[in-house]
Amino acid sequence: MIKGFVFDLDGVITDTAKYHFQAWKEMAAKELNIVVTPELNEHLKGVSRMDSLDVILRAGGKEQDYTQEQKVALATEKNDLYKKLISHMTAADILPGINDFLTDLQQNDYPISVASASFNAPVIIERLGLSYILDKIVDPGTLHHGKPDPEIFEKAADLIGTPYAETVGLEDATAGIAGIKAAGMFAVGIGPKSKLPAADINFDQTGDISLTAIERAFDR
Ligand code: B16
Ligand code: MG
């Protein structure tokens, strides 16, 4: 039986990927002379801030050019740009269907927590007006490994006290689905089967999510 749900943030609850993209693009053009293309941006989804910077430096053939201290400064510059962009977010930025789905979960007494790699997750959730329901958030500062490691999903389930085998995880990124499966949980993929083949059930977009369909698929 399903006991609880753990949510990824970016790509499931709201689309912050476009703001990450804009901030990386601006910083990389100004400081690194590297163009962050939409294709490269795909490789940054679900990846931690410092790992994202490494992906960008590698793509530009500059992975050896910066000290750790310089890299922290570059990541901070990107984060300052990002924070300005997300400061304008409102409840209108919640992805379609998510409000109804969260209400459904609440009415069915399912506990919920958030498994996001983002240090900005609490601020974003507050801006979206969802703190009343998404108040259990894993602190990414406590993690030893990023997705696809199961650690973040295990910590999210621990926050709500649900056994991993009876916890459902929602994700839009391949690494996230891999992490959910590695934790022994049931994986809901936001994206088609062709993009997220390892998910236990797929919804093409958030507007298609159905609690009944998830419960049915879980019990099969
Ligand atoms: P921050 P998720 C991830 O969020 C983003 O997908 C990824 O692009 C970002 O680098 C990462 O959070 C860290 O975010 O710089 O705000 O700490 O998909 O795990 O909700
Ligand atoms: Mg995501």
Side-chain angles (χ1 to χ4, degrees):
M1 223 176 83
I2 299 177
K3 295 276 168 62
F5 286 77
V6 301
F7 279 74
D8 173 42
L9 180 68
D10 175 25
V12 174
I13 291 167
T14 186
D15 178 21
T16 40
K18 61 184 177 206
Y19 301 127
H20 282 295
F21 180 38
Q22 200 177 322
W24 280 125
K25 213 165 42 179
E26 255 182 75
M27 188 284 287
K30 183 167 162 242
E31 305 291 351
L32 311 172
N33 201 20
I34 296 174
V35 180
V36 179
T37 61
E39 292 72 37
L40 183 55
N41 184 51
E42 281 306 306
H43 296 282
L44 308 180
K45 291 185 179 175
V47 178
S48 77
R49 195 182 306 163
M50 293 307 289
D51 287 350
S52 296
L53 177 60
D54 283 337
V55 170
I56 293 168
L57 289 173
R58 215 174 304 127
K62 299 190 172 179
E63 64 267 57
Q64 309 294 349
D65 295 9
Y66 298 90
T67 63
Q68 187 56 24
E69 205 179 14
Q70 288 171 319
K71 287 208 259 185
V72 169
L74 291 166
T76 303
E77 186 172 332
K78 176 267 173 177
N79 193 49
D80 289 343
L81 291 167
Y82 179 69
K83 282 201 289 200
K84 256 188 224 140
L85 296 169
I86 60 171
S87 70
H88 301 292
M89 289 179 87
T90 66
D93 292 293
I94 299 171
L95 284 169
I98 292 298
N99 269 320
D100 287 347
F101 183 57
L102 288 173
T103 305
D104 244 17
L105 293 180
Q106 202 176 33
Q107 281 170 354
N108 284 276
D109 291 327
Y110 284 118
I112 307 166
S113 62
V114 178
S116 168
S118 175
F119 284 93
N120 294 294
V123 175
I124 295 166
I125 286 166
E126 172 133 35
R127 297 282 329 151
L128 297 175
L130 291 176
S131 307
Y132 77 97
I133 187 163
L134 300 177
D135 58 339
K136 297 190 176 66
I137 307 167
V138 174
D139 174 4
T142 64
L143 300 173
H144 303 95
H145 309 283
K147 301 170 187 178
D149 192 276
E151 187 181 17
I152 191 169
F153 298 103
E154 291 167 354
K155 286 215 157 113
D158 293 346
L159 283 179
I160 51 175
T162 56
Y164 304 153
E166 292 176 295
T167 303
V168 174
L170 289 94
E171 257 288 353
D172 68 312
T174 310
I177 296 289
I180 293 170
K181 293 308 294 175
M185 299 176 183
F186 186 87
V188 175
I190 307 303
K193 194 87 197 156
S194 55
K195 194 187 151 213
L196 300 171
D200 294 300
I201 183 171
N202 294 72
F203 298 102
D204 284 358
Q205 53 233 338
T206 54
D208 301 331
I209 300 177
S210 143
L211 177 57
T212 319
I214 295 170
E215 287 171 332
R216 258 197 233 124
F218 186 93
D219 289 333
R220 255 204 308 266

